[in-house]
Amino acid sequence: MKRTTFPGELLVSLRRGEGQSLREQLEGELRTAIQRGRLTCGAALPSSRALAADLGVSRGVVVLAYDQLLAEGYLVASRGSATRVASRPPARPAIGVTDEPAAGPRYDFRPGLPDTSIFPRRAWLSSLRRVLAVPDVETALGYPDPQGARPARLAIAAYLNRTRGTVARAERTVLCTGFAQGLRLVCDVLRQRGVTRVAVEDPGHGGQRADIAAMGLRVSSVPVDDSGLRVDRLTRLNVGAVLVTPAHQFPTGVVMAPRRRQALLEWASRHDAIVIEDDYDAEFRFDREPVGTLQGLAEDHVAYIGSTSKTLAPALRIGWLLMPRRLVDRTALAKLHADHGSPTLDQLTLAEFITSGGLDRHLRKARLLYRRRRDAMVAALQSHLPASKVRGVAAGLHLMVALPAGTDEDAVLAAAEQRSMRIYGVGPHRARDAGAALLLGYASLPEADIRAGVALLASCLADKAPGTKPRPIALTRIWDPAERRLLAGIAAEASIGGERQRR
Ligand SMILES: Cc1ncc(COP(=O)(O)O)c(C=O)c1O
């Protein structure tokens, strides 16, 4: 245990090798000291360099802890003078997002989750500060433009044109709260234009299929092979739109082949149909050339949707649509009717973050980290499950592992859950049964956890070899744990209500 003293004889103790990171511990100690008055108003804190040397930690640990407490209002800093305890620290502790950690599994391999611990808090905070420091910021604080704040649309359009090969323009960009909302807005607009049926990939995201159906549209499944969507199957269906993940097919990881891309756009132009392009994780590619967007090839037939959910954090809920000209106003109107527009300050912060180079810097760092984790997962699978067939390793934040024929996917998931490990099957994302497979996200787990988790997975699979008796688990067709929890709660509520009525 390392101890140090500084003004006011305050003792800070950091414990190594424990669950909480050193930064979190330091942050917690300082916050408590201020709340309990052990560190008094105006007291100067040591420089980050001095405190880091004293505690034997890297300076970054102290800088991040100070930054967090600055953001919470416990500390104040001005250029050229020491960081001090604020003269009026917050009356209540700042929201304690980590005070009561939800009881969850030891290892969670949720696909597509970025590592939120590397969220660039400091840079994001500086961007927010810069936005708030603009003299006429009050003009941005009225009801938002339902299409999205124009500076944000400009910044996002320029970023997408540079990195994704789109032909985005601010006038055709609509901001929303993420892919999920973007898809619903497009469905709303399609329905108004008389579309009744939308094609989706099979396998393809189960939640999105449900979202389309919830918007009152019918869904047709089109198989995916090693070149992507079977475009030839589209011609037999009477659909007005098709949802695709061309850069990195979800969940298989396949890249849509150039011939298929061309055939798809020809189909859309021939039938005056809309291709809904989900570009969810294209920033993360490890061993392959970048794949441009369909929107860049046919802007009048593609509704392109992206978000910050993979690049930064899903909780930001910032997304964007690039729409064909004839659908832009309808989409903005649908957004107005949905929620009167997304939060302007968040949009402007993102715009500042992009234009100041923060997003590029963050992505460079994230790519390196995720590649190492991807490598660790591939190596662990090779060593613990050498016969497994692994797909989709070249890009994205997850990979897919095909299970031996006859394996009961749900039974494997249930066995994993009993060992405090949450894994996800491809089942909820398939329209037709085509064999069991697992989707393993690697981006949010440290390498040691990836290795330990895969070893545990191998033991679950050994227990659940083909032919073992299926062990059904509730609501297995719902992949999202939060949705599963809510539906189970509603079902329980309904059965209590029914019971009461019977009595
Ligand atoms: C295939 C796919 N598309 C898009 C998204 C992003 O959705 P959102 O922007 O609503 O968070 C996800 C997230 O998991 C996804 O898996």
Side-chain angles (χ1 to χ4, degrees), residues 146-147 153 156-157 160 166-176 179 181-193 241 273-277 295-296 298-306 319-335:
Q147 193 174 342
R153 286 188 275 125
I156 290 167
L160 294 173
T166 54
V167 283
R169 357 162 168 233
E171 312 77 66
R172 295 199 192 179
T173 304
V174 180
L175 302 189
C176 59
F179 180 88
Q181 186 182 48
L183 178 62
R184 283 183 174 241
L185 296 178
V186 172
C187 287
D188 195 353
V189 169
L190 290 173
R191 217 183 32 199
Q192 290 171 33
R193 287 174 53 89
I274 293 293
V275 175
I276 307 169
E277 179 170 22
Q295 195 274 350
E299 60 174 329
D300 284 325
H301 289 290
V302 177
Y304 170 98
I305 315 180
W320 44 83
L321 298 116
L322 308 180
M323 294 301 287
R325 192 168 49 78
R326 62 190 185 286
L327 304 183
V328 177
D329 286 346
R330 281 176 189 273
T331 311
L333 186 65
K335 173 69 179 161

Side-chain angles (χ1 to χ4, degrees), residues 178-181 205 208 245 250 278 280 307 309-310 314 317 479:
F179 180 88
Q181 186 182 48
H205 199 292
Q208 295 170 359
T245 43
F250 183 88
D278 177 2
Y280 66 110
S307 77
S309 291
K310 312 292 168 190
R317 304 317 296 149
W479 77 271

Side-chain angles (χ1 to χ4, degrees), residues 6-7 10 12 23 25-48 51 59-79 81-94 122 125 129:
F6 57 87
L10 184 80
V12 171
R23 175 191 47 77
Q25 290 182 46
L26 179 58
E27 226 173 84
E29 291 255 338
L30 292 175
R31 196 184 288 110
T32 311
I34 296 170
Q35 283 165 359
R36 299 200 177 149
R38 280 193 289 137
L39 263 179
T40 50
C41 297
L45 269 67
S47 72
S48 54
L51 183 55
R59 190 169 159 236
V61 168
V62 182
V63 169
L64 285 175
Y66 279 10
D67 273 352
Q68 181 58 31
L69 296 173
L70 282 164
E72 291 175 14
Y74 285 100
L75 301 179
V76 286
S78 56
R79 201 173 283 279
S81 69
T83 301
R84 292 177 182 278
V85 176
S87 55
R88 232 186 293 157
R92 287 183 293 118
R122 216 168 145 198
L125 187 59
R129 279 221 188 85

Side-chain angles (χ1 to χ4, degrees), residues 109-271:
F109 283 97
R110 180 171 178 152
L113 201 60
D115 187 341
T116 49
S117 78
I118 60 162
F119 181 80
R121 297 190 201 189
R122 216 168 145 198
W124 189 262
L125 187 59
S126 327
S127 291
L128 173 60
R129 279 221 188 85
R130 277 198 283 267
V131 167
L132 287 173
V134 172
D136 64 349
V137 69
E138 68 268 19
T139 59
L141 295 177
Y143 275 100
D145 178 345
Q147 193 174 342
R150 187 170 157 78
R153 286 188 275 125
L154 282 166
I156 290 167
Y159 167 76
L160 294 173
N161 292 344
R162 172 168 61 84
T163 61
R164 300 293 306 121
T166 54
V167 283
R169 357 162 168 233
E171 312 77 66
R172 295 199 192 179
T173 304
V174 180
L175 302 189
C176 59
T177 59
F179 180 88
Q181 186 182 48
L183 178 62
R184 283 183 174 241
L185 296 178
V186 172
C187 287
D188 195 353
V189 169
L190 290 173
R191 217 183 32 199
Q192 290 171 33
R193 287 174 53 89
V195 172
T196 55
R197 189 178 280 277
V198 175
V200 297
E201 298 168 319
D202 182 20
H205 199 292
Q208 295 170 359
R209 163 187 281 275
D211 281 341
I212 296 171
M215 291 302 291
L217 293 164
R218 271 180 282 191
V219 182
S220 295
S221 303
V222 177
V224 167
D225 65 16
D226 286 342
S227 301
L229 185 88
R230 289 281 307 271
V231 179
D232 56 319
R233 300 284 183 92
L234 275 179
T235 44
R236 290 186 224 151
L237 304 169
N238 184 22
V239 295
V242 56
L243 168 60
V244 284
T245 43
H248 187 232
Q249 205 274 329
F250 183 88
T252 62
V254 163
V255 179
M256 191 181 278
R259 258 186 301 119
R260 292 275 171 90
R261 292 155 67 89
Q262 205 181 335
L264 181 61
L265 296 176
E266 279 167 13
W267 168 84
S269 146
R270 232 182 4 260
H271 294 84

